[in-house]
Every structure is written in structure tokens, then in C-alpha cells.
Amino acid sequence: MSDHHEIRPGQSIELLKALHILTRDGKMNQDSRRKLKQVYHLYQFIEPLLQDVMRERGAVTLVDHGAGKSYLGFILYDLFFKAQQEQQEQQDLADGSHIYGIETREALVKSSGELAQRLGFKGMSFLNLSVADSIVSDRLPATVDIVTALHACDTATDDAIRFALEKKARHIVVVPCCQAEVAGVLRRNKSKALANPLTEIWRHPIHTREFGSQVTNVLRCLQLEAHGYQVTVTELVGWEHSMKNELIVAQYKDLPRRRPAERLDNVLETLGLAEMRERFFTTP
């Protein structure tokens, strides 16, 4: 029996085979089914943002950080950008929609580039850069419309947010993963903060890790709000698939910045995290 009933209409079967989501005979194993479900669920959040930018600008520039094998980028291109590319070619437009995949593993960048070329996905580029290096790289445009980071580990999510702020992104979509930096600072400063009864929240190592992860995402949300973004937080898919599926979606609305900036500063002070002000900066 075919697994094609789980595949979105218009999705290239050849692409899914090339990404090893489908086997050569069109079957899917449990791991592939989970990956595809995650990417499709994320696509439901991203598609309206793509449409919003298209209505406003007529083209979309999207940067995907920590792209890995670029499941997200390829499926986004296949379901949305491919039609834009065809239209652009018909109208002989030079400056159209584009997806940039940023990845530190050179072999993955090379294989993704080869696959894009094979599929004729002309509006896709893959760059062998860290997220931090991409901020200053002249291989990326000065401004972008949408920034995504799916399971970018630890501080890579913060670097992706910094990139988005530098590039004046209209939309930011991140699924943070494995954030350990805040937990490390909480652990290091625990003895200084013992007079504060709130320290009980992260006294035990497992609580330090989990609380640190929670606080990291709270600080990210406040930071985005302090830069004028409207922020929503939800889960990507059911918790049965992964405990790392908190989805943060931010849309630039030029909202008032003072109150979230003050709140962020208060949280840093209260929890003994003042040394992290530079990471969660609220002014350019």
C-alpha cells in the first residue's frame, strides 16, 4: 500500500525520494513519517507569512539557519517557491524569490546544492557558514523577509534571532533546541543567589536544565518584543514526538518597546543573569 495519501498535493515524489523521506518504491518508515509531519506542520505556520510578503513585495527572500539536509527549505521551495520561479521565468524577471540555506557541515551544503541543481530549483543557494558568520557575510542580501531556524542547537537560535534583527526580517520562525547557556550561568551563580527563595526553582540539576531552557525562550520572546515584534508561542507537533518542539513565531509590527525591554532587564536581574545582557540585547 502506498504512503502517498500523507503527502501534500503538488509535492514532488522525486524530491521526497531524493531526501530519503520516501524509499525508491514510494514507502515511508516511521522516522520519515515523523520528519515529514513536522515539516508539514511547520509549513502551515510559514505559508501565510510567505503569502503576506508576496502580496506586499511580489517576491520573498527566506533564510533557513542550521539547514542540515534542508528538508524544510526543499519542501518550502517545492510547495511555494517553485511556482514563483516559473512565473518569474515567464515574465523574464531577474530579481525573484530565493531561499538561502545556512549550514556549517560542508558535505551537506555540497549535496544540497547538487540536489537543487538536479531539480532545477534555481532560487535556492546553500552557504557553508556559521549562523554568526552569516550576519556579516556579503553573500547574503542586506535585508531578508523571513528567517527560520528549525532545531538550531543552543546559542545558534540566538544567533539566528540576531541575524534576523540585523537583516530587519519581517517574520521570524524558530524551534529552539538544547539550550544550555542560561542553565550554565544559573548553575555558576547559584551560591550568590541563595538568599533569593526563587533559587529553589533551579536548585536540583535536572531543574536547572529544564528551568534554564524555559527561561531562555522567555528571554528570547521578550527580546523580540523589545525590538517591536508581535510574538506567539505554540508547539510544533504533539509532545509525543519530541520535547523540543516549542515554536516561536515573531512578526514585525513596530510595537512599543519600552515595557518588554524593562521586563527582560528585570528577569535578568532577578535570576542572577545580568551578565547575559549582551546576548539578549534590546537596543541595536
Side-chain angles (χ1 to χ4, degrees):
M1 183 180 165
S2 168
D3 289 306
H4 291 192
H5 66 283
E6 297 184 50
I7 296 167
R8 289 180 68 109
Q11 180 83 79
S12 163
I13 299 302
E14 289 312 305
L15 169 64
L16 295 183
K17 286 180 179 178
L19 292 174
H20 305 294
I21 289 173
L22 286 178
T23 60
R24 287 180 185 175
D25 58 355
K27 302 290 185 189
M28 241 188 295
N29 64 30
Q30 198 57 40
D31 185 53
S32 296
R33 188 172 281 109
R34 178 182 59 80
K35 281 178 186 166
L36 191 62
K37 183 179 177 182
Q38 276 197 337
V39 174
Y40 278 172
H41 197 67
L42 190 56
Y43 181 77
Q44 289 177 348
F45 287 95
I46 296 175
E47 186 183 24
L49 312 183
L50 295 168
Q51 291 168 341
D52 173 60
V53 176
M54 278 300 298
R55 279 191 300 269
E56 183 75 21
R57 231 176 48 76
V60 188
T61 303
L62 182 145
V63 177
D64 182 30
H65 282 293
K69 294 178 180 176
S70 291
Y71 291 110
L72 176 62
F74 277 113
I75 288 173
L76 281 174
Y77 198 93
D78 193 41
L79 292 177
F80 190 89
F81 285 74
K82 190 165 62 176
Q84 312 304 323
Q85 178 193 316
E86 290 166 1
Q87 190 177 14
Q88 175 190 338
E89 287 172 351
Q90 286 168 6
Q91 296 174 7
D92 198 25
L93 299 174
D95 187 22
S97 297
H98 204 97
I99 291 180
Y100 295 87
I102 309 297
E103 172 57 48
T104 56
R105 288 165 287 183
E106 192 173 358
L108 294 181
V109 172
K110 186 171 181 288
S111 62
S112 293
E114 288 168 353
L115 177 56
Q117 194 169 17
R118 194 161 82 238
L119 294 167
F121 288 5
K122 297 175 186 173
M124 289 193 88
S125 301
F126 300 91
L127 304 177
N128 183 208
L129 295 168
S130 69
V131 186
D133 288 343
S134 71
I135 295 170
V136 294
S137 173
D138 59 5
R139 297 162 74 189
L140 287 150
T143 60
V144 302
D145 298 305
I146 302 175
V147 172
T148 59
L150 179 59
H151 293 153
C153 275
D154 200 15
T155 59
T157 296
D158 300 303
D159 291 335
I161 289 171
R162 184 182 288 264
F163 173 93
L165 295 175
E166 289 278 343
K167 298 290 186 180
K168 297 179 170 52
R170 185 177 308 188
H171 302 285
I172 304 168
V173 181
V174 295
V175 180
C177 183
C178 313
Q179 47 263 46
E181 189 182 28
V182 167
V185 177
L186 286 170
R187 196 176 296 115
R188 194 165 64 247
N189 294 342
K190 195 182 293 183
S191 58
K192 296 183 211 168
L194 284 175
N196 185 345
L198 285 177
T199 312
E200 292 298 326
I201 297 171
W202 67 91
R203 178 160 61 96
H204 298 285
I206 189 170
H207 295 156
T208 307
R209 188 186 69 212
E210 294 304 318
F211 181 65
S213 180
Q214 170 88 350
V215 168
T216 303
N217 287 341
V218 168
L219 292 169
R220 286 166 176 160
C221 291
L222 285 169
Q223 180 187 26
L224 288 165
E225 288 172 349
H227 284 268
Y229 286 79
Q230 181 182 73
V231 178
T232 57
V233 185
T234 184
E235 61 182 30
L236 179 52
V237 293
W239 294 111
E240 73 274 7
H241 291 292
S242 169
M243 289 301 286
K244 301 294 182 186
N245 279 314
E246 188 170 331
L247 173 65
I248 299 172
V249 180
Q251 182 175 9
Y252 186 71
K253 296 279 193 179
D254 198 16
L255 297 175
R257 296 157 164 75
R258 187 174 59 83
R259 183 173 170 79
E262 288 174 351
R263 281 292 172 94
L264 191 153
D265 202 52
N266 289 339
V267 171
L268 292 173
E269 281 292 337
T270 302
L271 299 180
L273 297 170
E275 66 192 77
M276 303 201 72
R277 277 198 181 91
E278 197 279 329
R279 176 161 292 283
F280 299 103
F281 66 95
T282 55
T283 52

